[in-house]
Amino acid sequence: MSTVSRGVIYSLVAVVIVLLLGIMALLGVAYNRHQRLEDATIDLQRNLTQQESKINELQERLQDCDTTKAMAPIDTSWNTVPVDTPTKAVSQSPPLNW
């Protein structure tokens, strides 16, 4: 073999090694990205499960809630008369001018 063909062979071997190292680096990056996406998917599934359980709990609480017994709060503002008191017993005062 001549020295020129040995140089070409060594150059080709070096190029192949560099390409193999580059491929290995790309595979490592792809694997790390895959692991991060898998971890994010697991986190999202866990959060979704927690949200579903909260929704179910709130639905059960809503079904247990008895709205027929609920009464509107009595309005105790200055200009209104409470419903339970007779209108004759309440004295109406004129509005204040500020």
Side-chain angles (χ1 to χ4, degrees), residues 2-14:
S2 68
T3 57
V4 174
S5 62
R6 281 188 186 173
V8 171
I9 290 174
Y10 290 144
S11 297
L12 289 175
V13 169

Side-chain angles (χ1 to χ4, degrees), residues 2-94:
S2 68
T3 57
V4 174
S5 62
R6 281 188 186 173
V8 171
I9 290 174
Y10 290 144
S11 297
L12 289 175
V13 169
V15 168
V16 168
I17 290 173
V18 168
L19 287 175
L20 288 176
L21 289 174
I23 290 171
M24 287 175 46
L26 290 174
L27 287 174
V29 169
Y31 177 76
N32 288 337
R33 182 176 291 173
H34 173 73
Q35 286 300 111
R36 282 189 311 213
L37 290 174
E38 188 174 347
D39 291 342
T41 302
I42 291 170
D43 288 342
L44 287 174
Q45 287 175 345
R46 185 181 315 119
N47 289 337
L48 182 62
T49 303
Q50 290 174 352
Q51 294 297 324
E52 285 176 351
S53 66
K54 285 182 184 179
I55 289 171
N56 290 336
E57 178 185 340
L58 290 173
Q59 284 177 342
E60 289 173 5
R61 286 176 57 190
L62 183 63
Q63 289 175 356
D64 292 341
C65 181
D66 189 8
T67 58
T68 58
K69 294 182 183 177
M71 295 181 63
I74 297 173
D75 187 9
T76 58
S77 64
W78 291 4
N79 293 330
T80 61
V81 178
V83 177
D84 294 341
T85 60
T87 56
K88 293 180 183 178
V90 177
S91 64
Q92 294 286 332
S93 60

